[in-house]
């Protein structure tokens, strides 16, 4: 059995897991912001929902792929470079979840020798299901998708700030520079969703500085399989240890790199 067909058979099982965990979380989500006024209270409220959901997610994924280990920390930047690992998040978009917003979901990536080979992103409140397997293209709600063909001046470009931002100054100057060259710069929710939306043309490019492998891996595969170019912000091949990230439509990837490398 070749790798492509192996992952093709695994994909519907991973989708089923994402739907199950998404339903579990959705039943505990409120459109009213969490009533907490300090960080400890916010974290306590979040862990009440996230801990059992994360345990369910890891348990179900472990059952369908026993040889794959699970990442210990869904926020950590460390990804195994050998063997298979599930990198997953039961509530991807924690801040939005806590604020009562619909921009959260379940993200799953199967990583083999440091490279994503399968990805599922399920957004229950938005009814969006992005999937991809390596060499098999990207899909949104079952339909094949491709990146846009826009030029930079007409592009919607998105960005975010990861928990492990080692280059905050560069992030700030790049935002100023990008605002001068694009139609709009926005942050539209979870990092994984914004990158996946590059694959479907809803977003034309996404960039970020900092170590953020666990949030980037699912979207990176979906974007790449949708025809987007995925590199770091200097144009080098992106890998989980990179300290910057760029996914862009082929028509504007080179222009985005120029902007990111130009002082504002």
């Amino acid at each position: 059995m070749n790798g492509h067909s192996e992952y093709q058979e695994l994909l519907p099982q991973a989708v089923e897991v994402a739907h199950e965990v998404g339903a579990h979380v959705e039943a505990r989500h409120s459109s009213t912001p969490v009533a907490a006024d300090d960080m400890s209270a916010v974290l306590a409220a979040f862990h009440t929902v996230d801990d059992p959901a994360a345990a369910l997610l890891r348990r179900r994924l472990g059952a369908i792929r026993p040889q794959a280990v699970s990442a210990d920390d869904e926020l950590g930047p460390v990804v195994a470079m050998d063997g298979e690992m599930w990198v997953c998040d039961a509530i991807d978009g924690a801040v939005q979840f806590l604020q009562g917003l619909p921009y959260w979901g379940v993200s799953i990536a199967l990583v083999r020798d440091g490279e994503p080979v399968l990805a599922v992103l399920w957004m229950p409140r938005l009814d969006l299901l992005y999937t991809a397997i390596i060499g098999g293209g990207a899909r949104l709600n079952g339909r094949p998708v491709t990146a846009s063909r826009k030029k930079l001046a007409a592009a919607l470009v998105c960005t975010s700030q990861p928990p492990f931002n080692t280059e905050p100054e560069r992030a700030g100057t790049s935002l100023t520079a990008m605002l001068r060259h694009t139609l709009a710069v926005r942050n539209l929710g979870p990092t994984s969703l914004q990158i996946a939306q590059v694959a479907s043309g809803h977003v034309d490019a996404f960039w970020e500085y900092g170590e953020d492998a666990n949030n980037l891996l699912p979207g990176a595969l979906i974007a790449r399989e949708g025809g987007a170019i995925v590199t770091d912000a200097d144009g080098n091949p992106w890998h989980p240890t990179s300290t910057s990230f760029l996914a862009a439509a082929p028509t504007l990837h080179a222009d985005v790199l120029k902007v990111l490398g130009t002082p504002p």
Side-chain angles (χ1 to χ4, degrees):
M1 177 182 293
N2 62 46
H4 180 96
S5 61
E6 179 182 5
Y7 299 131
Q8 188 65 58
E9 292 181 7
L10 185 62
L11 182 61
Q13 299 176 67
V15 169
E16 184 178 348
V17 170
H19 279 292
E20 179 184 357
V21 175
H24 175 90
V25 175
E26 189 173 18
R28 293 156 180 79
H29 181 248
S30 171
S31 58
T32 301
V34 169
D37 56 7
D38 60 37
M39 182 58 73
S40 61
V42 168
L43 289 175
F46 180 67
H47 284 299
T48 297
V49 180
D50 184 62
D51 287 356
L56 175 63
L57 179 57
R58 293 191 175 102
R59 187 166 64 251
R60 292 289 190 262
L61 291 175
I64 67 172
R65 193 75 168 180
Q67 65 266 44
V69 301
S70 292
D72 293 331
D73 183 0
E74 64 194 29
L75 292 178
V78 178
V79 174
M81 293 295 108
D82 298 306
E84 289 188 347
M85 170 179 279
W86 288 112
V87 176
C88 56
D89 194 345
I91 308 179
D92 193 352
V95 173
Q96 291 86 353
F97 178 87
L98 290 167
Q99 291 296 119
L101 298 169
Y103 311 109
W104 59 270
V106 182
S107 65
I108 296 170
L110 179 63
V111 180
R112 183 171 184 173
D113 298 335
E115 291 292 328
V117 294
L118 176 151
V120 175
L121 177 61
W122 167 233
M123 312 294 293
R125 290 292 174 96
L126 302 178
D127 194 27
L128 298 176
L129 174 67
Y130 281 92
T131 60
I133 59 171
I134 188 167
R139 286 172 170 75
L140 170 57
N141 293 343
R143 296 177 289 102
V145 292
T146 57
S148 76
R149 306 296 300 174
K150 287 183 183 176
K151 296 183 187 284
L152 187 56
L156 169 61
V157 180
C158 291
T159 189
S160 186
Q161 304 302 318
F164 304 94
N165 192 339
T166 56
E167 300 186 74
E169 295 81 8
R170 196 175 182 192
T173 57
S174 68
L175 175 59
T176 302
M178 197 68 68
L179 285 167
R180 293 175 173 169
H181 293 274
T182 62
L183 175 66
V185 179
R186 298 288 186 268
N187 184 320
L188 300 177
T191 294
S192 57
L193 175 61
Q194 296 180 87
I195 301 170
Q197 288 176 315
V198 176
S200 58
H202 291 91
V203 171
D204 301 301
F206 175 92
W207 93 97
E208 181 181 281
Y209 288 98
E211 296 180 72
D212 199 19
N214 288 19
N215 284 321
L216 296 169
L217 280 162
L221 178 63
I222 295 168
R224 188 180 295 138
E225 289 296 326
I229 299 176
V230 177
T231 65
D232 68 13
D234 297 311
N236 304 307
W238 181 82
H239 52 83
T241 60
S242 298
T243 58
S244 62
F245 178 90
L246 170 62
T251 51
L252 52 77
H253 180 266
D255 290 334
V256 172
L257 286 177
K258 290 178 184 177
V259 174
L260 294 178
T262 304

